[in-house]
């Protein structure tokens, strides 16, 4: 089974990742991972940090002559900004003379983190709770994504809304998405979305979103939004209904919910379906020569926690980033006074990046379900088993 861990502080020396369980013989390169890292760094509304960093990965182990060895893969992304933080984030020394941060930002992990770990300096929380960690998550998960692409499973995403800016015509948007997939696979959605600064497929919504971010920035505020991840090429029967922790929809929801600032997840038309009659919700089965076909996919490709052969559709709702240039009230944990919260350089909107992270985190979940069904130790063995 594929497992991965990340380590690293936002302003520390580097981000580190270890990926285990990738079968032997998978072709992988730093260039492939770097492309996804680049995609994560894009988007209108990002802050100053993205102008400092050009995230690139160093593969330290588990790959030889461009192919995985089946052994743990160690990855590193150096933080360029580290050179500006060597004293404040030093591993050694006493920290004497370094200013402590004592005002938590509402909505961030600052307050709960400082209480939980008994810190008197919130910097200790900020640096690990930062969404900078997602750079390494994207790197780790892109190896699972590469594995999936070799077995015909492709992942894409697009942004559905940013603040109030959205395409109100859901049917039109759905048609657009479907036609992109029919021409190729779900990756073609990502390619189309990557052409837009806000990763939106429809021009009017795109322009509205950019205008919304611009005016939000002027006000010192932030904006969230909703993104959709689509996975194509899925065989019937991944996941299981027989035990709660084997339900693939539950596992996918956990993965997407674990992304920083994501506060809602739906599979297919999850929330909209709750307002409809059953007859308007369930995807009918129609007989064809080979197998039952469905004219609709409101279930988002999963029934009973098991893939039904349709594309997996999973959406995430990202709340607006908690760091506000025009801050809310907070409490100084040292003086216990109500004060204005502090501002620390941040993004105004990171929904486009969040969509790329969403594409990434679903990859190991689906790869594991695939390996459970068709698994083996090497790519050769796996390709044979699928036939
Ligand atoms: C991020 C790096 C961070 C933030 C952002 C995501 O860098 P810095 O803290 O130096 O500005 O820009 O993190 C947050 C929005 C957050 O709230 O923590 C990145 O690499 O994506």
């Amino acid at each position: 089974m594929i497992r991965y861990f990340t380590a690293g502080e936002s302003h520390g020396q580097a981000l580190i990742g270890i990926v285990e369980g990738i079968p032997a013989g998978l072709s992988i390169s730093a260039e492939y991972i770097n492309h996804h890292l680049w995609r994560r760094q894009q988007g209108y509304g990002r802050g100053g940090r993205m102008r400092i960093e050009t995230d690139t990965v160093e593969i330290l182990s588990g790959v030889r002559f461009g192919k995985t060895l089946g052994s743990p893969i160690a990855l590193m992304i150096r933080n360029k900004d580290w050179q500006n933080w060597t004293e404040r984030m030093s591993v050694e020394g006493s920290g004497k003379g370094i200013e402590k941060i004592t005002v938590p930002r509402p909505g961030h992990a600052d307050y709960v983190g400082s209480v939980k770990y008994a810190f008197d300096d919130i910097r200790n929380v900020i640096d690990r709770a930062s969404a900078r960690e997602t750079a390494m998550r994207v790197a780790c998960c892109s190896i699972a994504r590469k594995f999936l692409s070799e077995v015909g499973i492709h992942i894409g995403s697009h942004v559905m809304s940013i603040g109030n800016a959205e395409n109100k015509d859901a049917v039109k948007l759905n048609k657009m998405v479907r036609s992109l997939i029919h021409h190729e696979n779900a990756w073609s959605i990502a390619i189309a979305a990557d052409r837009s600064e806000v990763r939106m497929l429809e021009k009017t919504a795109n322009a509205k979103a950019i205008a919304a971010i611009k005016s939000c920035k002027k006000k010192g505020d932030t904006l969230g939004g909703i993104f959709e991840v689509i996975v194509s090429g899925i065989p019937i029967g991944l996941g299981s209904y027989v035990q709660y922790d084997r339900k693939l929809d539950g596992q996918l929801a956990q993965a997407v919910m674990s992304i920083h600032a994501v506060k809602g997840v739906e599979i297919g038309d999850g929330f909209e379906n709750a307002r409809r009659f059953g007859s308007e919700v369930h995807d009918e089965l129609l007989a064809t020569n080979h197998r039952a076909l469905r004219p609709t996919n409101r279930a988002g490709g999963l029934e009973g926690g098991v893939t039904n052969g349709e594309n997996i559709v999973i959406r995430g709702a990202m709340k607006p980033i908690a760091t506000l240039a025009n801050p809310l009230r907070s409490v100084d944990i040292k003086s216990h006074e109500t004060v204005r919260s502090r501002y620390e350089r941040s993004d105004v909107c990171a929904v486009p990046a969040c969509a790329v992270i969403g594409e990434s985190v679903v990859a190991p979940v689906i790869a594991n379900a695939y390996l459970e069904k068709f698994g083996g130790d090497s790519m050769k063995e796996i390709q044979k088993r699928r036939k």
Side-chain angles (χ1 to χ4, degrees), residues 58-84:
E58 289 167 54
I59 303 174
L60 304 177
S61 77
V63 178
R64 187 167 185 235
F65 306 133
K67 295 224 158 132
T68 55
L69 301 172
S71 47
I73 301 169
L75 305 174
M76 176 163 75
I77 298 169
R78 291 176 200 270
N79 289 320
K80 279 195 190 161
D81 205 18
W82 155 246
Q83 63 189 40
N84 304 314

Side-chain angles (χ1 to χ4, degrees), residues 10-11 15 40-41 46-50 52-53 55 79 81 85 105 108 110 123 126-135 260-261 318 321-323 344-350 353 357:
S10 178
H11 306 101
L15 301 171
R40 191 202 74 94
Q41 285 202 271
R46 299 304 303 270
R49 181 73 184 271
M50 289 304 100
I52 299 174
E53 305 294 342
D55 291 335
N79 289 320
D81 205 18
W85 291 78
R105 296 161 296 173
H108 222 292
D110 297 2
R123 169 63 53 206
I126 297 175
D127 253 72
R128 180 60 188 164
S130 165
R132 175 98 195 115
E133 184 263 351
T134 60
H260 302 69
M318 182 190 195
I321 283 169
T323 313
E344 165 134 357
R345 174 187 63 191
S346 187
D347 307 316
V348 175
C349 174
I357 302 158

Side-chain angles (χ1 to χ4, degrees), residues 35-219:
H35 179 60
H36 292 295
L37 289 176
W38 174 83
R39 295 178 64 231
R40 191 202 74 94
Q41 285 202 271
Q42 307 309 302
Y44 190 82
R46 299 304 303 270
R49 181 73 184 271
M50 289 304 100
R51 285 192 288 278
I52 299 174
E53 305 294 342
T54 315
D55 291 335
T56 48
V57 75
E58 289 167 54
I59 303 174
L60 304 177
S61 77
V63 178
R64 187 167 185 235
F65 306 133
K67 295 224 158 132
T68 55
L69 301 172
S71 47
I73 301 169
L75 305 174
M76 176 163 75
I77 298 169
R78 291 176 200 270
N79 289 320
K80 279 195 190 161
D81 205 18
W82 155 246
Q83 63 189 40
N84 304 314
W85 291 78
T86 47
E87 277 181 31
R88 282 174 289 172
M89 291 302 292
S90 173
V91 171
E92 277 155 23
S94 65
K96 216 172 150 203
I98 302 287
E99 191 200 352
K100 287 184 175 146
I101 293 176
T102 57
V103 182
R105 296 161 296 173
H108 222 292
D110 297 2
Y111 182 66
V112 289
S114 65
V115 173
K116 180 173 171 65
Y117 293 102
F119 292 140
D120 62 354
D121 183 358
I122 295 170
R123 169 63 53 206
N124 294 344
V125 181
I126 297 175
D127 253 72
R128 180 60 188 164
S130 165
R132 175 98 195 115
E133 184 263 351
T134 60
M136 184 45 79
R137 262 206 254 185
V138 168
C140 292
C141 294
S142 62
I143 304 176
R145 176 201 277 257
K146 181 66 181 8
F147 164 76
L148 288 174
S149 74
E150 301 258 319
V151 295
I153 297 174
H154 298 275
I155 309 171
S157 73
H158 65 107
V159 170
M160 298 181 78
S161 63
I162 288 180
N164 283 325
E166 64 183 328
N167 184 346
K168 300 270 189 258
D169 190 344
V171 178
K172 192 177 154 198
L173 185 67
N174 199 15
K175 258 193 198 157
M176 207 184 259
V177 171
R178 276 180 167 244
S179 83
L180 277 167
I181 302 171
H182 281 148
H183 284 125
E184 243 187 89
N185 54 48
W187 175 237
S188 57
I189 301 167
I191 293 173
D194 284 353
R195 287 191 200 112
S196 146
E197 279 185 293
V198 281
R199 305 200 72 251
M200 278 177 149
L201 296 174
E202 202 266 331
K203 274 190 189 145
T204 323
N206 203 77
K208 268 196 241 165
I210 290 178
I213 297 168
K214 224 178 243 175
S215 89
C216 177
K217 187 176 181 183
K218 267 193 204 144
K219 288 184 204 140

